[in-house]
Amino acid sequence: MSSPPTPPAFRRLPRAVREQQMLDAAVRAFSRRGFHAASMDEIAEDAGISKPMVYAYLGTKEELFVACLHREGTRMVEAIAGAAAPDLPADERLWRGLRAFFGFVGRHRDGWVVLYRQARGEQPFARELATMRGKLVEVVAGMLDHALRARGREVRETDLEVVAYALVGASESLADWLADHPEADPEKTATRMMNVAWLGADQLLRGITWRPTDR
């Protein structure tokens, strides 16, 4: 009689390392196949672990998807905030923030697909995404506020928030384009966005605003 097959042996790794492997595999699977089509079996196989271990470490598929969102979103916000030092001139801060953002998307295209495409159409993931976007808007609004105060000007909080949302929204749309064009250079993409954004931001910093001619 032939002996039963030996179950695969999994190399023991620190929990934090193993969790990152699972998240890497999950981001790839969710990016390729979407939340509903991706299976825990393929995620476990890609990570080189057993399916029960995925459940034990990160919970259900829904909880795993949220963990992916949190990791990718945190990485993105930290990259932007870390690049834009507060002692830099306003245009340099915005440029470095944009370069960090598009650089993140270029390096983590699968992660961006999960963040921007998969999450926004699925509840409760869309709420998680809205929370992360809110944090990013806060970072951008803080950069603008700092630059304005350095020039002796103050702008209403609502106006800062609106401009920050506009910059974040435009950057997200262009990042979505970048994710679909692997041949595109993230730094050149950041330069294009900078040229569009800074023309408006510079006017704002100098107190110049457009108004309808009938007012």
Side-chain angles (χ1 to χ4, degrees), residues 34-174:
F35 171 73
H36 293 291
S39 71
M40 296 294 268
D41 290 291
E42 67 181 296
I43 291 169
E45 182 178 359
D46 189 13
I49 59 173
S50 66
K51 186 166 75 170
M53 188 178 291
V54 178
Y55 283 107
Y57 275 54
L58 293 168
T60 64
K61 188 164 79 165
E62 290 80 4
E63 291 168 327
L64 177 58
F65 192 89
V66 170
C68 291
L69 286 181
H70 285 170
R71 189 189 72 168
E72 299 305 306
T74 299
R75 282 178 170 180
M76 182 177 67
V77 173
E78 287 178 349
I80 296 167
D87 58 338
L88 293 170
D91 60 335
E92 188 68 18
R93 290 193 76 199
L94 181 57
W95 159 242
R96 292 195 183 190
L98 288 171
R99 185 171 62 180
F101 172 65
F102 287 105
F104 170 87
V105 175
R107 291 189 304 273
H108 304 282
R109 293 172 196 264
D110 286 347
W112 176 256
V113 169
V114 169
L115 273 174
Y116 192 69
R117 296 181 189 170
Q118 301 295 339
R120 65 182 174 178
E122 296 282 349
Q123 293 292 355
F125 309 135
R127 290 195 296 271
E128 297 280 347
L129 180 60
T131 299
M132 281 179 252
R133 182 181 287 122
K135 293 178 182 177
L136 186 55
V137 167
E138 286 179 9
V139 170
V140 174
M143 290 168 56
L144 294 172
D145 186 45
H146 182 274
L148 287 163
R149 290 179 185 277
R151 297 192 182 193
R153 295 191 62 244
E154 291 189 20
V155 176
R156 290 181 303 175
E157 184 177 342
T158 301
D159 291 336
L160 281 174
E161 185 179 32
V162 167
V163 174
Y165 265 105
L167 288 173
V168 169
S171 297
E172 286 178 341
S173 294
L174 192 51

Side-chain angles (χ1 to χ4, degrees), residues 112 117 172-181 183-184 189 192:
W112 176 256
R117 296 181 189 170
E172 286 178 341
S173 294
L174 192 51
D176 204 34
W177 174 87
L178 178 64
D180 281 338
H181 294 79
E183 76 285 355
T189 305
R192 292 187 178 105

